[in-house]
Amino acid sequence: KAGVTQTPRYLIKTRGQQVTLSCSPISGHRSVSWYQQTPGQGLQFLFEYFSETQRNKGNFPGRFSGRQFSNSRSEMNVSTLELGDSALYLCASSSWGREDALDEQFFGPGTRLTVL
Amino acid sequence: AQKITQTQPGMFVQEKEAVTLDCTYDTSDPSYGLFWYKQPSSGEMIFLIYQGSYDQQNATEGRYSLNFQKARKSANLVISASQLGDSAMYFCAMREGGGTYKYIFGTGTRLKVLA
């Protein structure tokens, strides 16, 4: 079974631009979560989608948005990029379908975004 | 509020020896899961082991075992017979039940295995 894939792997943008990152979950997984990882803040939860619905959101400004398609693929968008948005963005998929399901998440390789 | 604490920023271990990475957590939810992930320099997070709050026995996966002490709210990872390839960042994470659908991660421990 193929793992979680993320594209692109590396991205360089300038301040003020916007960026879209893509994530394809493991086949059969309907939940996709996004995390931002920086040396200073560690791993921080951005949002989680299940069946095209956002179920939970972290404490990030509205410049960070996401969506999920009917095939469970997900995209996240960051508008008006700032220098502080430079980070590794990780996507994770899970089969979570019930509130009390404590399945593990499987992570993709990440997209390393550099904002100049 | 849920919280994960990893107090060891860095650890060294000699090849073939065992090492324990500490993790304490805080939650008021009786239903939760505890996870350990390994992140090599390549950046990908690799799932290692899982412990559910209602599990009676400590989880084990090959050379990895989780020392789960519920009353103390600790979930330490034990790696036996360390290998050079074990050098990486290790993250402890927790997910509560009740529909939160998100993980909280600790700050990680960087493990270096010495030859």
Side-chain angles (χ1 to χ4, degrees):
Chain A
K1 200 182 252 191
V4 179
T5 58
Q6 291 186 247
T7 56
R9 294 292 310 279
Y10 302 91
L11 207 49
I12 300 175
K13 292 285 188 179
T14 56
R15 278 183 301 173
Q17 287 187 310
Q18 76 165 24
V19 66
T20 299
L21 312 182
S22 180
C23 171
S24 292
I26 291 172
S27 177
H29 283 185
R30 295 164 65 189
S31 168
V32 173
S33 298
W34 289 90
Y35 295 86
Q36 181 196 64
Q37 186 178 23
T38 60
Q41 298 296 319
L43 271 153
Q44 293 191 291
F45 171 77
L46 280 156
F47 27 65
E48 187 262 355
Y49 287 88
F50 183 86
S51 293
E52 303 178 65
T53 299
Q54 186 184 88
R55 295 194 295 191
N56 209 337
K57 189 177 188 300
N59 296 323
F60 279 82
R63 300 186 297 107
F64 291 82
S65 63
R67 60 177 175 168
Q68 187 181 34
F69 302 95
S70 58
N71 62 357
S72 293
R73 190 177 70 85
S74 177
E75 289 181 346
M76 68 162 280
N77 184 277
V78 188
S79 62
T80 319
L81 284 166
E82 300 177 0
L83 295 179
D85 297 334
S86 294
L88 179 67
Y89 290 88
L90 291 162
C91 164
S93 79
S94 173
S95 61
W96 293 342
R98 293 168 47 189
E99 287 187 358
D100 58 350
L102 296 173
D103 324 355
E104 63 269 24
Q105 286 184 317
F106 295 91
F107 284 79
T111 294
R112 190 166 295 281
L113 172 65
T114 301
V115 182
L116 303 176
Chain B
Q2 51 175 287
K3 187 179 178 182
I4 291 281
T5 303
Q6 294 180 256
T7 58
Q8 306 155 312
M11 292 275 289
F12 289 95
V13 64
Q14 207 66 37
E15 195 178 9
K16 299 180 185 176
E17 291 186 348
V19 62
T20 299
L21 307 183
D22 294 341
C23 173
T24 58
Y25 61 92
D26 188 23
T27 179
S28 56
D29 194 322
S31 174
Y32 53 89
L34 296 157
F35 305 79
W36 277 92
Y37 286 86
K38 171 185 178 181
Q39 188 178 43
S41 55
S42 60
E44 185 168 359
M45 298 284 281
I46 301 167
F47 167 73
L48 295 177
I49 197 167
Y50 158 81
Q51 180 85 44
S53 60
Y54 296 119
D55 293 344
Q56 295 297 312
Q57 294 189 326
N58 288 342
T60 59
E61 288 286 349
R63 295 186 300 110
Y64 304 107
S65 61
L66 201 152
N67 184 1
F68 181 46
Q69 298 187 41
K70 196 170 182 177
R72 297 180 60 184
K73 292 189 174 180
S74 74
N76 299 338
L77 176 70
V78 180
I79 306 175
S80 63
S82 296
Q83 302 172 356
L84 295 178
D86 294 334
S87 294
M89 280 289 286
Y90 288 81
F91 290 95
C92 180
M94 177 175 67
R95 181 186 167 234
E96 290 177 338
T100 55
Y101 306 116
K102 70 175 183 179
Y103 280 27
I104 300 296
F105 283 84
T107 51
T109 295
R110 183 170 297 281
L111 177 67
K112 176 71 174 175
V113 180
L114 304 173

